[in-house]
């Protein structure tokens, strides 16, 4: 059972857009279509247009994809990648065999899977506890990538994705605002006006012979409106190993700095590289310091499992004892330990952690369990399985540029690989032709829902939400499909 349920079973939305305090009739209709709960479902993934409704009124999400994942075993990866060593992969046309049936805009939306951590941050009166929750949210945002070795589809210029979740208390909109370089901008807000979460992401992909590396670029910003606080950070580097031969595996590494621009507090998280013998694989270690650089607490764990925090003195004592060869206590899924440290214990999946537990630590976050058939669904989480679901009537409400309407992704999800490949080529060619036509007529591309500006907290270039999407005036959206 997921801890999101405990917080948000009955959460409803109140506002329709920045410019209005009313939750409009149109937005209620959208919420009815898009408000889906992946954790309370027995659906089979059939696209019959019939949506099951629970007794509490929350619509059930599908729990599986329409078709199982295809086999990549007969495909020669090297035949494609040997020409790409050291090159920027965003400019290389890749075969569909590399993909998973989601757009990168939908992958970004997976940041919201652990939104209960944002709401925990909003609920805390202590700024240290707020930073702890924000740090856990930042780590959880990359957790869904664990074992996800498929590449999301590159969004087409002007492509969008929206998600409204009344049960979880948020709505989300993203747009592909640039093609070269590829830049995805997103904006999310709490339906009860408690937070704003926004940013722009343009990962730089490179192939290094045995691995593909995605270097993150772009700022992520979280505003806690009740506390008048803003936090910013950048994601760690992601690397997929053994793309030529052997079992694919993924790691995150690099330093992530989360800054509270209101208090001056900072959280420094070190996503450790695997190392020669794999000892540091998936490990995250860091600390929270105040504006005077005094360490307030230490954070440790794995981005694939869980995150804990303890006071610096306890941590240093434990580490010294570890160096001296003292006996270590490995964390077990003990109900007593977890309940004493975290009141959401009943909603945590019962998994065997491999993190060395330091007595007295507080549990900040634990990864959600995945569907039992996840390996046959590109290793999607329950949340990810729901993202491309297209219910009956949605097409009349969504923007015509929404990812759910992309024919290549839809056909891949349905198992029609040949059609999906042809549609992917058609869409890419259509995009190239449109770009040539604009160049010929000297017409500049204009984004629809975001504009380029300056991040008010970092002073760096950023893409900011222009507003108006949820007014649902889609008359001037581009024809990209």
């Amino acid at each position: 059972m997921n801890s999101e349920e405990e917080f948000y079973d009955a959460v409803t939305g109140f506002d329709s857009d920045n410019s209005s305090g009313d939750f409009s009739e149109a937005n209620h209709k959208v919420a009815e279509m898009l408000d889906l709960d992946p954790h309370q479902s027995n659906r089979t993934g059939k696209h019959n247009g019939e949506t099951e409704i629970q007794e509490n009124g929350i619509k059930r999400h599908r729990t599986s994809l329409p078709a199982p994942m295809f086999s990549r075993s007969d495909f020669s990866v090297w035949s494609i990648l040997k020409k790409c060593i050291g090159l920027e992969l965003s400019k290389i046309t890749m075969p569909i065999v590399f993909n998973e049936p989601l757009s990168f805009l939908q992958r970004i939306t997976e940041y919201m899977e652990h939104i209960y951590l944002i709401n925990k941050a909003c609920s805390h009166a202590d700024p240290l506890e707020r930073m702890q929750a924000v740090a856990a949210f930042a780590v959880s945002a990359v957790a869904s990538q664990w074992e996800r070795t498929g590449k999301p589809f590159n969004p087409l210029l002007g492509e969008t994705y929206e998600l409204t979740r009344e049960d979880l208390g948020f709505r989300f909109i993203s747009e592909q605002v640039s093609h070269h370089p590829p830049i995805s901008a997103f904006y999310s807000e709490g339906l009860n006006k408690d937070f704003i979460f926004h940013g722009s992401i343009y990962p730089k992909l490179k192939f290094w012979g045995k691995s593909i590396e995605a270097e993150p670029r772009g700022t992520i910003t979280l505003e806690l409106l009740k506390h008048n606080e803003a936090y910013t950070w950048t994601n760690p580097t992601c690397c997929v190993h053994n793309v030529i031969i052997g079992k694919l595996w993924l790691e995150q590494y690099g330093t992530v700095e989360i800054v509270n621009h209101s208090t001056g507090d900072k959280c420094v998280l070190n996503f450790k590289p695997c190392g020669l013998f794999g000892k540091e694989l998936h490990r995250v270690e860091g600390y929270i310091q105040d504006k005077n650089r005094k360490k307030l607490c230490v954070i440790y764990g794995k981005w694939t499992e869980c995150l804990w925090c303890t006071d610096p003195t306890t941590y240093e004592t434990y580490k010294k004892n570890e160096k001296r060869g003292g006996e270590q206590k490995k964390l077990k899924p003990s109900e007593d330990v977890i309940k004493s440290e975290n009141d959401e214990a009943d909603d945590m999946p019962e998994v065997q952690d491999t993190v060395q537990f330091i007595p007295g630590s507080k549990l900040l976050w634990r990864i959600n369990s995945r569907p039992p058939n996840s390996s046959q669904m590109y290793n999607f989480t329950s949340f990810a399985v729901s993202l491309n679901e297209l219910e009956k009537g949605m097409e009349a409400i969504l923007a015509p540029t929404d990812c759910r309407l992309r024919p290549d992704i839809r056909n891949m999800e349905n198992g029609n690989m040949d059609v999906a490949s042809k549609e992917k080529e058609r869409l890419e060619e259509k995009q190239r032709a449109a770009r040539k036509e604009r160049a010929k007529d000297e017409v500049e591309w204009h984004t629809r829902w975001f504009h380029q500006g300056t991040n008010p907290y970092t002073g760096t270039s950023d893409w900011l939400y222009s507003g108006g999407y949820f007014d649902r005036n889609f008359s001037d959206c581009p024809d990209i499909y």
Side-chain angles (χ1 to χ4, degrees):
M1 186 175 181
N2 190 295
S3 54
E4 294 167 348
E5 295 173 5
E6 180 178 337
F7 284 90
Y8 305 114
D9 285 5
V11 174
T12 56
F14 299 103
D15 59 329
S16 65
D17 196 61
N18 294 340
S19 58
S20 171
D22 298 320
F23 197 60
S24 67
E25 180 180 351
N27 217 36
H28 270 302
K29 190 174 182 183
V30 172
E32 290 175 3
M33 288 292 182
L34 303 182
D35 178 20
L36 306 166
D37 189 348
H39 305 291
Q40 301 177 349
S41 171
N42 60 8
R43 290 195 61 181
T44 61
K46 295 180 181 178
H47 287 236
N48 56 11
E50 298 177 2
T51 304
E52 298 183 38
I53 301 177
Q54 296 178 189
E55 291 182 2
N56 61 6
I58 296 176
K59 294 187 178 181
R60 293 180 176 179
H61 235 310
R62 66 183 185 184
T63 57
S64 63
L65 298 179
M69 176 182 171
F70 62 94
S71 174
R72 295 190 176 106
S73 59
D74 297 329
F75 186 81
S76 174
V77 178
W78 178 245
S79 65
I80 301 298
L81 291 183
K82 64 183 179 182
K83 302 175 183 178
C84 307
I85 296 178
L87 298 181
E88 170 57 63
L89 290 188
S90 64
K91 297 182 179 180
I92 305 297
T93 299
M94 307 296 281
I96 202 169
V97 71
F98 284 100
N99 290 89
E100 63 179 22
L102 288 177
S103 168
F104 185 68
L105 297 182
Q106 292 166 311
R107 173 72 76 89
I108 293 174
T109 312
E110 293 182 54
Y111 287 172
M112 309 305 292
E113 180 166 356
H114 300 270
I115 188 181
Y116 74 92
L117 292 167
I118 292 181
N119 287 269
K120 282 183 68 175
C122 291
S123 69
H124 286 310
D126 182 0
L128 175 59
E129 290 186 305
R130 290 198 294 273
M131 176 63 92
Q132 289 171 349
V134 172
F137 176 74
V139 173
S140 76
V142 301
S144 68
Q145 296 182 39
W146 178 43
E147 296 187 330
R148 293 269 291 280
T149 53
K151 176 182 176 293
F153 281 71
N154 291 334
L156 301 169
L157 184 61
E159 187 174 314
T160 60
Y161 182 73
E162 69 163 287
L163 184 64
T164 298
R165 289 290 298 266
E166 283 193 323
D167 59 324
L168 303 182
F170 76 89
R171 62 185 184 184
F172 184 101
I173 173 63
S174 56
E175 177 183 5
Q176 190 70 5
V177 294
S178 174
H179 184 59
H180 287 312
I183 303 176
S184 307
F186 69 90
Y187 171 88
S188 182
E189 61 187 13
L191 294 178
N192 58 353
K193 299 183 179 180
D194 50 352
F195 75 88
I196 293 174
F197 178 56
H198 59 94
S200 55
I201 299 176
Y202 40 108
K204 186 175 182 181
L205 303 178
K206 283 192 174 182
F207 173 54
W208 294 114
K210 295 182 179 180
S211 62
I212 295 177
E213 185 181 73
E215 178 188 345
R217 299 185 181 185
T219 302
I220 297 174
T221 303
L222 173 63
E223 301 178 39
L224 304 183
L225 303 181
K226 174 183 175 181
H227 301 286
N228 195 29
E229 286 183 340
Y231 301 79
T232 61
W233 68 91
T234 300
N235 281 331
T237 295
C238 177
C239 187
V240 180
H241 295 272
N242 292 344
V243 295
I244 304 302
I245 191 171
K247 183 180 179 181
L248 292 171
W249 63 279
L250 185 148
E251 70 171 327
Q252 309 270 357
Y253 49 79
T255 301
V256 173
E257 288 192 357
I258 306 170
V259 179
N260 182 333
H261 293 270
S262 302
T263 65
D265 294 349
K266 180 186 293 187
C267 178
V268 181
L269 296 173
N270 181 17
F271 287 70
K272 293 179 176 290
C274 175
L276 187 60
F277 300 105
K279 183 180 179 181
E280 304 292 334
L281 183 61
H282 306 321
R283 282 189 59 189
V284 180
E285 193 174 87
Y287 55 87
I288 297 174
Q289 65 180 31
D290 63 17
K291 62 181 179 181
N292 298 316
R293 297 188 177 182
K294 177 185 177 181
K295 286 188 179 181
L296 304 177
C297 76
V298 172
I299 294 175
Y300 67 96
K302 290 187 177 183
W303 62 268
T304 56
E305 296 181 17
C306 57
L307 208 62
W308 300 79
C309 73
T310 188
D311 67 272
T313 302
T314 299
Y315 186 79
E316 290 303 321
T317 300
Y318 180 86
K319 281 297 181 181
K320 288 179 181 178
N321 184 51
E322 185 180 39
K323 288 181 179 179
R324 289 196 297 264
E327 183 178 350
Q328 302 302 316
K329 179 180 179 181
K330 183 168 286 191
L331 175 66
K332 297 180 180 179
S334 166
E335 193 171 308
D336 294 335
V337 172
I338 297 175
K339 279 190 174 180
S340 67
E341 301 299 341
N342 192 296
D343 58 6
E344 285 98 42
D346 290 338
D347 293 325
M348 296 294 182
E350 288 293 315
V351 294
Q352 178 66 54
D353 296 326
T354 61
V355 176
Q356 293 293 113
F357 173 67
I358 301 175
S361 297
K362 179 175 73 172
L363 180 64
L364 299 179
W365 161 80
R366 176 168 284 151
I367 195 169
N368 290 339
S369 58
R370 294 190 176 184
N373 56 343
S374 179
S375 62
Q376 298 299 311
M377 299 188 298
Y378 306 87
N379 289 309
F380 283 0
T381 65
S382 295
F383 188 83
V385 168
S386 73
L387 293 177
N388 202 47
E389 187 171 18
L390 186 63
E391 292 287 349
K392 183 178 180 181
M394 271 190 182
E395 293 184 48
I397 295 170
L398 296 171
T401 50
D402 194 276
C403 302
R404 297 176 184 87
L405 306 178
R406 274 190 68 161
D408 50 355
I409 296 178
R410 180 63 57 196
N411 276 281
M412 183 181 187
E413 177 182 277
N414 290 332
N416 303 321
M417 299 303 297
D418 290 340
V419 176
S421 183
K422 291 177 181 177
E423 284 295 312
K424 180 175 180 287
E425 292 178 12
R426 181 184 66 82
L427 294 178
E428 290 170 349
E429 182 54 40
K430 183 174 183 176
Q431 181 172 237
R432 284 190 289 268
R435 185 169 63 248
K436 290 179 181 178
E437 193 65 25
R438 289 195 303 272
K440 176 183 175 183
D441 298 336
E442 297 183 346
V443 175
E444 186 177 349
W445 175 268
H446 292 287
T447 55
R448 184 65 180 83
W449 310 111
F450 292 81
H451 64 277
Q452 197 164 16
T454 301
N455 187 293
Y457 306 105
T458 64
T460 56
S461 178
D462 203 353
W463 286 86
L464 308 175
Y465 179 54
S466 301
Y469 177 89
F470 294 98
D471 291 340
R472 309 217 158 266
N473 177 10
F474 302 138
S475 58
D476 60 346
C477 286
D479 175 18
I480 60 175
Y481 301 146

